[in-house]
Amino acid sequence: MREYRQARWGEPLIFELGREDRVGFAVSPLEPELEDAVDISELVPSGMLREKPPGLPEVSEIEVLRHFIHLSQMNYSVSSGIIYPLGSCTMKYNPVVNEVLAGHPKITGVHPDQDPSTVQGTLEFMYKLQEGFLEVTGMDAATLQPAAGAHGEYTGILLIRAYHADRGELETRTEIIIPDSAHGTNPASAMMAGFKIVEVPSDEDGGVDLEALRIVVGPKTAGLMLTNPNTLGIFDSNIAKIAEIVHGAGGLMYYDGANLNAVMGKCRPGDMGFDIVHVNLHKTFSTPHGGGGPGSGPVGVKAFLADYIPVPVIEEADGVYSLSWDRPKTIGKVHGYNGNVGPILRAYTYILTLGGEGLKLASELSVLNSNYIAEKLKNVRGLSLPYAEGKPRMHEAVLSASGMAEETGVRALNVSKKLLDYGIHAPTTYFPLIVPEALMIEPTETEPLEALDEFMEAVKAISDLAYSDPDVVLEAPVNTTIGRLDEPRAAHPRTICLSWRIYCNMPP
Ligand SMILES: *Cc1c(COP(=O)(O)O)cnc(C)c1O
C-alpha cells in the first residue's frame, strides 16, 4: 500500500514567511491631477480611518501562491484522494465541464434583478433542468428555489401544511411520521414547520415496520417522510403498501430524495406513491459540496399540490420564458431570488452529458460498487452487515464494527481515524443511529475498481491491527495535518479558533 503523509502544521505560516517591505501587489499611484481632487478624509468618516497599518503579512506573489497551494494540499478532496466513501453524501466526481460552464462570465455576470426578457438563456436552462427533474422524479410541478436538501424538506412540509390548511384540517392533522432510520434533517424540518414527530421503527429487513405504521397512522396524520432506498441503503419494497396506509388516512407522502443515486432512471418516487419530493442536485447531479454550499434542493409535487408551490414559477410559452407570480394559494417565496443558479446549471450539464441511458448506468454502477464493498467488508474480522441478511444493498451500505469494539476495544470511530493515515477519507460514522458502531459507506459510480480494492485493503489492514496491536489504531491519526482532536472542545464555539493569530502568537 502507498506511503502517505500530508502537509502538516509547523511548516511555515504566511506571517513567518513575511519580510518587512516585501511587496506582492502594488496599487498604481493616483494620477497627479486627481491627487488634489481626492480628499480621503471627505470620503471616509474620520472615525473609520485607520491610525496604524493593518498588520498584514508582507509577502511576494510567489509566496502567497505557494502558501495557498500548500493549504489546499492539506485538504482531502475527491480530486486528490483515492476514494471519498462518506455515506449519504454522494461524494462523486464532479465533471470539470460543469465547472467551466458554471463559471462562464455570461452565467456569473447575470443579476437576479434583471428583467426576464434580458436573461432568457438563464431561464431556459432553469426551465429545462426543471423538466428533467420532473421526468426523473415522476412529478408534475416544481420549484427550484430551495438552496439545500433540508431547505427542500422544509418547503415540502410547508406545502403539506398549506394543503391541510386549505381543507380546514390543519387543526387536527398535527403529526408527521418518520422512520427511525431517517436522516436527522427530516424531524428537524417537520418540527420547524410546526408538526409533532411520530417515530416508526424499522423491521428486521430494514424497512418500515408495517404493523407499527398501522398503529400510529390516523386522523392526526399530516404526512410521512421517507427515504427510499433508506439510509441503510435498503430499498423498501413495501412502499406501495406504505403509501396506501398513509393516503388511506388522509396523509401525504414526502420523499426525501437527497440522494437519488440508486434509482435515477430506474424507478420514480412519483410512481411509488409519493406526492412531494426533494432532490439534492449537489449530490446525485454533481456539484462539489461539503464545504458549506451553495447547494440546491428543488421540490416537485403532484398536480393536486401545484397551486401551493413557491412563486415566482418559471413558465414557457412559444419559446419565451417568464416568471409567473399568479398562484393565489402559494406558500410564498422560500429564497431571496429564484434559486442557486450554479448547481442548477451543473445539474443540467450533467444530465445532458450523461443522457437518459447514462443516468441509468450511473445508478447501476453505484449499486454494483456498494454491493462489491458490502459483500467483501462483511467478512472482514470484527465487521458485520446488519439488517436484511442476504439481500442486496443499493447505493450505500452500513457496516457495524460492534464485534471489533467488543473484542478489541477498537471502535468505529477509531477505524475511521486510522483510515486517514492511509490517505483515505473516513466513512460516515455512527449514523444511522439504529446500527451500533455504524460505518456508512457510499462508494459512488465514479470510483474505479482499483480504488475500491485499495480502500478495502486499508480496512482489512486496520482490522488486522485491531486484533494484533490495537494501540496503534487507538492513537490514529498520526499522518495527518492535524492529529487527534479534542472533539467536544473543537466543536465548541468558545474554544474553536478560526484565526491565524493563535498560531502566530500575535495579539488579537
Ligand atoms: C444530505 C441529506 C439531507 C440534507 O441535505 P442538505 O443539502 O445537507 O441540507 C437530507 N436527507 C438525506 C437522506 C441526505 O443524505
Side-chain angles (χ1 to χ4, degrees):
M1 213 171 302
R2 72 176 75 175
E3 281 283 310
Y4 189 80
R5 196 187 85 77
Q6 270 195 325
R8 279 170 182 277
W9 287 122
E11 291 169 21
L13 291 155
I14 198 152
F15 282 86
E16 294 159 351
L17 296 174
R19 287 268 289 275
E20 210 171 314
D21 290 337
R22 194 166 284 174
V23 173
F25 177 77
V27 183
S28 19
L30 273 183
E31 309 257 327
E33 51 282 17
L34 282 178
E35 207 151 325
D36 295 333
V38 177
D39 181 356
I40 198 83
S41 60
E42 267 176 31
L43 293 176
V44 183
S46 58
M48 294 178 78
L49 278 175
R50 203 183 274 291
E51 281 160 14
K52 299 186 289 206
L56 294 174
E58 295 176 80
V59 280
S60 63
E61 183 173 327
I62 183 68
E63 288 170 303
V64 174
L65 182 76
R66 284 182 186 145
H67 172 72
F68 284 106
I69 294 287
H70 175 68
L71 287 184
S72 77
Q73 289 169 340
M74 288 173 161
N75 268 328
Y76 193 89
S77 87
V78 85
S79 344
S80 61
I82 63 146
I83 179 174
Y84 209 134
L86 197 63
S88 206
C89 294
T90 319
M91 305 304 280
K92 65 171 69 177
Y93 166 66
N94 305 290
V96 172
V97 64
N98 297 358
E99 298 308 312
V100 173
L101 291 174
H104 194 285
K106 286 194 172 169
I107 303 297
T108 56
V110 166
H111 194 281
D113 271 335
Q114 272 176 246
D115 188 84
S117 66
T118 68
V119 289
Q120 285 292 297
T122 299
L123 291 176
E124 178 177 349
F125 74 69
M126 291 174 82
Y127 183 82
K128 289 185 169 165
L129 178 274
Q130 195 171 291
E131 295 282 282
F133 166 72
L134 293 175
E135 177 63 35
V136 169
T137 55
M139 293 284 151
D140 302 315
T143 173
L144 301 180
Q145 288 183 28
H151 193 187
E153 291 169 25
Y154 181 62
T155 305
I157 300 296
L158 290 182
L159 293 170
I160 294 182
R161 250 189 102 91
Y163 169 79
H164 291 307
D166 203 15
R167 297 158 58 89
E169 293 186 5
L170 191 59
E171 299 286 295
T172 44
R173 296 200 181 268
T174 52
E175 296 178 350
I176 297 280
I177 299 169
I178 302 179
D180 60 2
S181 60
H183 195 269
T185 50
N186 292 184
S189 304
M191 188 81 111
M192 273 182 68
F195 288 99
K196 189 174 154 233
I197 313 304
V198 177
E199 191 177 271
V200 269
S202 304
D203 63 15
E204 59 191 40
D205 275 344
V208 173
D209 184 325
L210 289 182
E211 285 318 304
L213 179 66
R214 285 202 180 91
I215 292 168
V216 296
V217 165
K220 288 187 179 171
T221 303
L224 172 131
M225 289 180 96
L226 194 73
T227 308
N228 196 27
N230 63 20
T231 60
L232 294 166
I234 292 169
F235 189 87
D236 197 326
S237 46
N238 288 328
I239 189 60
K241 255 182 242 157
I242 295 169
E244 199 185 298
I245 295 170
V246 174
H247 284 151
L252 298 184
M253 291 282 291
Y254 183 92
Y255 185 88
D256 173 351
N259 191 322
L260 221 60
N261 226 31
V263 297
M264 66 172 165
K266 304 294 284 185
C267 60
R268 314 191 305 169
D271 301 332
M272 293 180 213
F274 288 94
D275 307 301
I276 308 175
V277 50
H278 91 263
V279 166
N280 282 18
L281 295 184
H282 49 287
K283 287 180 181 168
T284 309
F285 297 96
S286 80
T287 274
H289 58 287
S296 177
V299 171
V301 297
K302 283 287 174 67
F304 74 97
L305 295 169
D307 286 349
Y308 308 107
I309 64 173
V311 284
V313 178
I314 305 171
E315 289 182 343
E316 185 264 355
D318 300 326
V320 178
Y321 298 90
S322 57
L323 295 171
S324 166
W325 295 80
D326 182 22
R327 293 287 184 287
K329 292 185 177 178
T330 177
I331 60 166
K333 251 170 162 293
V334 296
H335 188 280
Y337 288 102
N338 305 311
N340 284 336
V341 169
I344 291 169
L345 180 56
R346 287 180 182 91
Y348 183 55
T349 309
Y350 180 77
I351 290 175
L352 286 188
T353 309
L354 267 68
E357 284 306 307
L359 292 181
K360 205 162 144 184
L361 184 62
S363 297
E364 288 167 358
L365 288 176
S366 84
V367 171
L368 180 66
N369 281 357
S370 87
N371 280 286
Y372 180 64
I373 283 193
E375 280 305 304
K376 289 217 157 179
L377 286 189
K378 76 176 185 195
N379 297 321
V380 168
R381 193 170 177 199
L383 298 184
S384 60
L385 186 64
Y387 289 103
E389 208 185 324
K391 294 208 178 141
R393 306 293 128 157
M394 292 292 137
H395 59 293
E396 63 195 357
V398 182
L399 290 134
S400 169
S402 59
M404 191 182 293
E406 276 161 31
E407 288 155 17
T408 70
V410 170
R411 303 188 54 196
L413 180 76
N414 308 117
V415 175
S416 289
K417 297 270 189 208
K418 191 64 194 165
L419 274 168
L420 309 181
D421 280 340
Y422 289 94
I424 296 173
H425 197 280
T428 298
T429 308
Y430 298 129
F431 179 79
L433 305 175
I434 54 174
V435 173
E437 299 297 324
L439 290 166
M440 182 194 213
I441 297 162
E442 180 182 10
T444 86
E445 73 283 4
T446 53
E447 288 309 323
L449 183 63
E450 292 74 14
L452 305 182
D453 285 338
E454 197 170 329
F455 168 65
M456 289 193 285
E457 218 183 297
V459 176
K460 173 86 177 34
I462 294 168
S463 161
D464 290 347
L465 275 175
Y467 284 91
S468 60
D469 196 359
D471 284 346
V472 176
V473 187
L474 296 172
E475 279 159 16
V478 293
N479 286 340
T480 48
T481 303
I482 299 196
R484 190 156 264 250
L485 296 178
D486 176 342
E487 306 226 0
R489 241 188 109 216
H492 195 284
R494 272 177 196 274
T495 50
I496 195 164
C497 175
L498 299 173
S499 160
W500 46 267
R501 290 189 169 90
I502 187 131
Y503 301 110
C504 305
N505 293 323
M506 302 263 293

